[in-house]
Amino acid sequence: MSQTLCFLPGLLCDARVFSEQLRHFDGSSAIDGFGARTSLVDMARHILDSGPQRMALLGHSMGARVALEVYRLAPERVDRLALVSTGVHPLQPGEADKRHALQAIGEEQGVEALVDHWLPPMLSAAHPDYPAIIAPLRAMCIESGVAVYAAQITALIDRPEVETLLPTITCPVLVAVGSEDVWSPPAQHAAIAQAIQHATLTVVPGAGHMLPVEQPDALNAAIAVWLAQPTRH
């Protein structure tokens, strides 16, 4: 049975964050619609209910955590896994307070204020196309709204433990991150790759947390290598 390349977006994002990947890889698709779901496991069940029977699954940021839950629930349906600009650590001290503070900004000042606080640090400010990149991302995130942000941070705050899951993953894994990602830095991804059998680490120069839109060609090249690796199921 053939596999389908499926992309899972992160917090406040949808399929538009993968526009360059969807254009490059024929037959690929993005599964979003996480919406007001307040559990990463429920999001993973949504992927299993709506996705193809066999998947090459790439998750970005929160989407990578969802991808790991898909693998936990149904490893036989995941032929390969890519974890991009993400983390596997449990809830950190002060993390919930910071996320709730942003939610409060959104509720008190509007979603535009929330996005304008949250989004700019996600990109490398040194990128020559920064203004052109951030404008459509800002519009996408604003369209998602405060209620979606609140639901998705509930899912992230209540996230399941995954560090013990990593050594059990047997399919080919791509771990990718931008060199300028201050939200989930390269060292964090090196540790993830080290914990997973058959994982390959790719650090892309000049990109921040929004790697799929900041350096799409470099990410697409890493994806192509990952897709060419033999499966081990």
Side-chain angles (χ1 to χ4, degrees):
M1 184 179 294
S2 62
Q3 62 182 354
T4 300
L5 174 56
C6 298
F7 298 99
L8 310 184
L11 180 65
L12 284 180
C13 296
D14 59 29
R16 285 171 281 186
V17 80
F18 297 118
S19 59
E20 293 301 318
Q21 287 71 46
L22 293 168
R23 185 178 296 113
H24 187 80
F25 294 100
D26 291 340
S28 63
S29 64
I31 306 176
D32 45 25
F34 297 148
R37 289 178 172 84
T38 57
S39 160
L40 296 182
V41 175
D42 286 346
M43 294 176 189
R45 292 194 180 107
H46 168 65
I47 303 305
L48 291 168
D49 290 343
S50 58
Q53 189 60 31
R54 297 284 287 274
M55 294 175 276
L57 205 54
L58 184 150
H60 174 251
S61 196
M62 181 189 75
R65 287 188 177 270
V66 177
L68 287 168
E69 295 308 313
V70 173
Y71 188 90
R72 193 200 306 267
L73 290 170
E76 71 282 358
R77 291 184 58 184
V78 182
D79 281 344
R80 60 192 73 237
L81 191 62
L83 309 174
V84 178
S85 310
T86 194
V88 297
H89 51 274
L91 191 69
Q92 301 296 288
E95 179 183 341
D97 290 342
K98 290 177 182 178
R99 293 188 185 277
H100 286 139
L102 281 170
Q103 180 181 338
I105 289 173
E107 291 169 346
E108 294 165 9
Q109 303 176 38
V111 65
E112 293 89 350
L114 186 164
V115 172
D116 288 342
H117 277 80
W118 173 77
L119 180 60
M122 297 285 169
L123 284 79
S124 170
H127 197 291
D129 294 326
Y130 182 89
I133 291 172
I134 199 168
L137 287 174
R138 181 178 184 272
M140 174 187 65
C141 294
I142 288 171
E143 189 176 313
S144 291
V146 177
V148 166
Y149 177 83
Q152 292 182 352
I153 65 163
T154 297
L156 286 167
I157 288 169
D158 296 336
R159 58 189 181 253
E161 181 274 332
V162 292
E163 289 177 303
T164 59
L165 174 67
L166 301 184
T168 72
I169 298 172
T170 57
C171 64
V173 176
L174 168 65
V175 180
V177 62
S179 64
E180 309 307 309
D181 191 336
V182 296
W183 184 259
S184 51
Q188 184 168 291
H189 290 74
I192 295 170
Q194 189 172 16
I196 303 174
Q197 304 176 65
H198 315 300
T200 301
L201 174 66
T202 298
V203 179
V204 178
H209 191 69
M210 293 297 182
L211 173 56
V213 295
E214 291 183 79
Q215 296 290 352
D217 292 344
L219 180 59
N220 290 348
I223 292 171
V225 172
W226 165 67
L227 290 173
Q229 295 176 354
T231 57
R232 295 180 173 84
H233 279 314

